[in-house]
Amino acid sequence: MSELQSFLINREEFADTRWEDTEVPSPGEGQVLLAIDSFALTANNITYAAFGDALQYWAFFPAPASRGILPVWGFAEVVESNCKGIETGERFYGFYPLASHLLVEPAQVSATSFTDHAEHRRPLPLIYNQYLRSSADALYEEGKEALQMLLRPLFTTSFLLDDFFADQAMFGAKNLHLTSASSKTAIGMAFCLQNNRANRDLDYEIIGLTSARNQAFVESLGCYDRVVSYDQVDAIDNTQPSAIVDFAGDGTLLRQLHSQLAPELRYSCMVGASHWDQRAGAGPGLDGPEPIMFFAPHQAEKRVGEWGGEEFQRRLSGQWRAFCAFANGWMEVDERHGREAIERTYAEVLGGDFSPRSGYVLSKLSCQ
């Protein structure tokens, strides 16, 4: 069997990376070894690094001191199983390390999924510890794995953001300002806000903020009511009650938006860090309400508790399929293979050097 290959990132300097090759672990009693087949790499993964300490993303897959293993969403196959109910050759979707293999300790094994009950993962959010059996996953479609890897985790956040804002009656805002409007999570939220508006007794406008370079693309999507480039922020209407949903993580931009919108700013929500290297620019003492970090698992747990797991999945599934049909019209899947491709793609995503239409799917480190 091949070595366990792990892509290690300097937790203080994300551009500093290296590979580590170690012996592939053998599963003990009750354990399963998964070979990671393919995974997506998006700006969302950089957000995991940017908030790796604050939101414990580095804790999922332990690494040597000062290093971290980036979490990714993808598919893996069982290569060895010492766990009843999980067979060699089965395929699972879930939260994996950017590595060739993952050793798990399955618990709550069912016809559809299992939860990794490894000791270091038990205190971490359940949504990241659950692995879905492809043969029984309601959202799985053979031949559409790329879309699932690229969009499912992002769209789940989009779905939960839309639900969170609707649950709070948009915090009284009439204008919703989404930064990094070309990012896939922002697009997903805008799609949900647009798609669900007719069924809500709420009056709101969806405003996308983006770079001049991406403005034409964002306008072409049709899910934003209005698109504004970053160099036009000072001219944004500040007479209407408003909210900010910050996917960019650019501190200077966030300060500028707060300053412009403060008189009627009702809520400021931080989600991502597309501009991770500029996230410190806001500093203390922003005008208006203090930004609050949105943590998707909290909203998911709230709704599962209120609706039940089956109803939660039903609602998510309906909007997911509609969004996939929408995304097919503009997204371009770029499949790449091997270590060098992973290094190159990571550098491109880290630097923001890619088209908003692009979706990167990477494989395959493991040789079973």
Side-chain angles (χ1 to χ4, degrees):
M1 185 178 286
S2 65
E3 292 180 304
L4 168 57
Q5 305 169 63
S6 303
F7 188 66
L8 303 182
I9 297 169
N10 184 325
R11 289 164 57 165
E12 300 298 325
E13 178 52 60
F14 298 158
D16 176 16
T17 65
R18 64 178 172 84
W19 290 96
E20 179 181 71
D21 296 335
T22 56
E23 185 177 351
V24 175
S26 296
E29 185 65 29
Q31 294 183 325
V32 169
L33 180 65
L34 294 153
I36 298 161
D37 176 54
S38 52
F39 57 90
L41 194 61
T42 71
N44 188 50
N45 301 106
I46 306 304
T47 296
Y48 292 153
F51 294 103
D53 291 314
L55 297 181
Q56 295 186 287
Y57 286 118
W58 295 129
F60 284 91
F61 310 113
S66 80
R67 294 277 169 174
I69 300 178
L70 194 68
V72 294
W73 292 90
F75 289 92
E77 292 187 1
V78 177
V79 290
E80 287 187 60
S81 176
N82 287 327
C83 177
K84 184 179 179 181
I86 297 178
E87 303 297 329
T88 300
E90 288 198 89
R91 193 167 181 82
F92 287 87
Y93 168 80
F95 198 60
Y96 293 105
L98 205 170
S100 59
H101 297 81
L102 175 64
L103 185 69
V104 293
E105 298 180 21
Q108 299 173 317
V109 178
S110 72
T112 59
S113 65
F114 72 82
T115 300
D116 185 5
H117 201 57
E119 185 173 355
H120 71 280
R121 294 184 67 165
R122 293 173 195 173
L124 301 172
L126 176 64
I127 195 171
Y128 296 120
N129 289 340
Q130 192 173 51
Y131 292 85
L132 305 178
R133 204 184 302 258
S134 296
S135 60
D137 181 2
L139 270 64
Y140 179 83
E141 290 184 69
E142 191 172 357
K144 294 186 178 180
E145 288 189 354
L147 277 182
Q148 182 166 337
M149 287 182 281
L150 286 162
L151 297 178
R152 183 169 178 171
L154 306 181
F155 183 74
T156 301
T157 298
S158 303
F159 168 84
L160 291 166
L161 274 164
D162 170 74
D163 176 67
F164 171 69
F165 270 79
D167 196 31
Q168 301 297 324
M170 305 299 162
F171 296 92
K174 300 293 185 183
N175 292 344
L176 304 176
H177 300 87
L178 281 59
T179 71
S180 194
S182 66
S183 70
K184 295 172 182 65
T185 314
I187 293 170
M189 183 184 183
F191 176 85
C192 289
L193 287 166
Q194 187 82 257
N195 206 37
N196 295 327
R197 182 158 47 188
N199 298 320
R200 293 171 174 162
D201 188 23
L202 295 168
D203 178 26
Y204 53 84
E205 185 176 19
I206 310 157
I207 301 166
L209 303 175
T210 190
S211 65
R213 180 184 67 177
N214 289 333
Q215 186 167 0
F217 165 72
V218 175
E219 288 173 341
S220 75
L221 295 170
C223 54
Y224 294 96
D225 298 314
R226 195 149 42 95
V227 180
V228 178
S229 65
Y230 292 138
D231 57 10
Q232 298 172 319
V233 166
D234 290 341
I236 290 176
D237 178 14
N238 59 7
T239 64
Q240 296 294 315
S242 63
I244 297 168
V245 189
D246 182 29
F247 296 92
D250 182 334
T252 301
L253 171 64
L254 187 60
R255 174 171 287 278
Q256 188 180 5
L257 280 169
H258 269 251
S259 177
Q260 177 67 16
L261 298 171
E264 291 290 343
L265 183 60
R266 302 299 172 86
Y267 194 77
S268 180
C269 178
M270 295 189 299
V271 183
S274 297
H275 302 286
W276 61 275
D277 53 341
Q278 302 169 45
R279 65 191 182 279
L286 290 175
D287 295 330
E290 182 180 351
I292 296 175
M293 188 73 191
F294 178 77
F295 192 46
H298 290 167
Q299 185 67 13
E301 289 166 8
K302 175 180 184 291
R303 285 313 200 190
V304 168
E306 293 171 349
W307 299 341
E310 189 174 322
E311 177 63 12
F312 177 86
Q313 288 298 329
R314 187 191 69 79
R315 296 192 189 198
L316 173 61
S317 178
Q319 296 200 50
W320 159 252
R321 295 190 191 286
F323 182 67
C324 282
F326 166 70
N328 269 327
W330 54 265
M331 199 173 75
E332 300 167 353
V333 177
D334 185 346
E335 297 188 23
R336 301 178 177 184
H337 308 274
R339 280 194 182 195
E340 289 185 6
I342 289 170
E343 293 169 8
R344 184 175 74 255
T345 306
Y346 172 78
E348 290 173 8
V349 175
L350 184 67
D353 184 24
F354 59 95
S355 165
R357 295 181 182 275
S358 296
Y360 298 119
V361 172
L362 300 168
S363 61
K364 177 174 188 182
L365 287 170
S366 59
C367 296
Q368 300 173 27

